[in-house]
Amino acid sequence: RLEWMRRRFPYGDEEVGCLKTSLNLIDCFSEIFWPLTQGRPLVIAGAEQARDPRQLLALLGEYGVTRLVAVPSLLRALVEGFHDLGQRLGALTLCMSCGEPLSWSLAQAFGERMPHCQLINLYGSTEACADVSYYVIPRDVARWPAEGRRGEGFVPIGSVVDGMSLALVDEAGQEVAAGETGELLVRGPGVARGYLRRPALSAERFGLLQPVGPVLRTGDLARQGAGGALELLGRVDQLIKLRGFRIEPGEI
């Protein structure tokens, strides 16, 4: 996973990363090791700074952070709360959005505030080594699909990370035709083997298809769009993803 990120999005000589995510969340994985494995400095935000957008912006600006990993909830807070965001984050050149579906309307608002920054949409889960696929959002809005230009729906989840694969299946586990809705399955070396001491849940969510290896049922519904990229449509259950956390309403 780290080797793919190093090859696909290598750090430049003068670039700086930032850790602002709790170590309890999988997003911290790439925040920490993406710059460090390439010999680049890592700015560590304190708990108070990570929770307060104003303090976080001050930290990012002070150290000239060039790359940021952020959930859409944080991106929205930054875009809606700071009209001078582009000036505050003048050094930021690449931003990875992950943890929640990214809407086209938010992507457009971010692009208007941060025209110098490339926005990338990541898709994945804790059970699959954080990220499985990515979509590089074109800087030119004219290249977006029609719904994107209207600000409707979600940004596609794009191409798979090296070594991983995605499939769409129906309730019977059979792959669906192009354009049809199905549940996303993830295969590859990044997929976990199950949940610790939870055999029933492991049996429900994981399978073993030889010789491919472990398979994860994500619970996410998607379809293949007109351009071939996968588009998220919702969930097969009632699970909610909020600020990177998974919430089961039945447990509340």
Side-chain angles (χ1 to χ4, degrees):
R1 165 67 179 75
L2 285 170
E3 179 65 13
W4 164 80
M5 183 165 268
R6 185 192 67 79
R7 287 196 309 269
R8 185 63 181 84
F9 304 104
Y11 263 72
D13 291 340
E14 303 300 322
E15 294 199 75
V16 180
C18 177
L19 169 64
K20 46 115 187 78
T21 299
S22 165
L23 298 183
N24 296 314
L25 295 176
I26 193 65
D27 293 343
C28 74
F29 171 81
S30 55
E31 286 185 335
I32 296 171
F33 296 108
W34 187 16
L36 292 186
T37 54
Q38 298 179 63
R40 301 312 310 150
L42 177 68
V43 175
I44 301 176
E48 181 88 12
Q49 293 169 315
R51 286 193 296 265
D52 184 341
R54 189 171 296 277
Q55 290 190 47
L56 179 61
L57 283 181
L59 180 73
L60 298 176
E62 178 183 356
Y63 288 95
V65 170
T66 62
R67 301 198 176 193
L68 185 68
V69 179
V71 294
S73 305
L74 174 58
L75 292 183
R76 186 170 296 282
L78 296 178
V79 167
E80 295 180 353
F82 303 92
H83 294 291
D84 58 345
L85 187 64
Q87 296 176 357
R88 291 173 179 261
L89 297 181
L92 193 69
T93 58
L94 191 149
C95 181
M96 297 278 197
S97 175
C98 60
E100 305 162 4
L102 175 66
S103 68
W104 278 115
S105 59
L106 178 55
Q108 185 163 9
F110 182 86
E112 291 171 353
R113 293 274 194 275
M114 301 284 294
H116 58 281
C117 183
Q118 176 67 67
L119 183 60
I120 298 170
N121 186 37
L122 296 176
Y123 169 78
S125 69
T126 301
E127 297 93 335
C129 200
D131 303 313
V132 176
S133 67
Y134 68 104
Y135 182 82
V136 179
I137 300 172
R139 302 286 188 92
D140 183 2
V141 176
R143 295 172 57 195
W144 292 6
E147 60 271 20
R149 293 194 293 273
R150 295 193 299 267
E152 301 172 349
F154 296 112
V155 174
I157 60 175
S159 306
V160 293
V161 170
D162 292 353
M164 304 296 287
S165 64
L166 292 170
L168 289 175
V169 299
D170 57 23
E171 294 181 355
Q174 301 299 311
E175 291 201 34
V176 301
E180 294 184 359
T181 299
E183 181 181 3
L184 269 172
L185 296 186
V186 178
R187 301 183 179 98
V191 176
R193 301 185 184 280
Y195 297 106
L196 184 63
R197 292 191 291 272
R198 302 191 69 179
L201 184 59
S202 296
E204 176 187 341
R205 296 290 300 278
F206 293 87
L208 192 63
L209 299 184
Q210 297 292 350
V212 180
V215 176
L216 169 68
R217 293 182 55 191
T218 65
D220 289 322
L221 292 173
R223 70 182 173 196
Q224 192 174 40
L230 290 174
E231 303 169 347
L232 285 180
L233 301 176
R235 295 282 303 174
V236 299
D237 52 25
Q238 300 302 310
L239 183 141
I240 298 169
K241 295 180 180 179
L242 181 63
R243 296 195 296 274
F245 289 90
R246 300 179 188 181
I247 301 173
E248 294 279 2
E251 296 179 355
I252 300 175

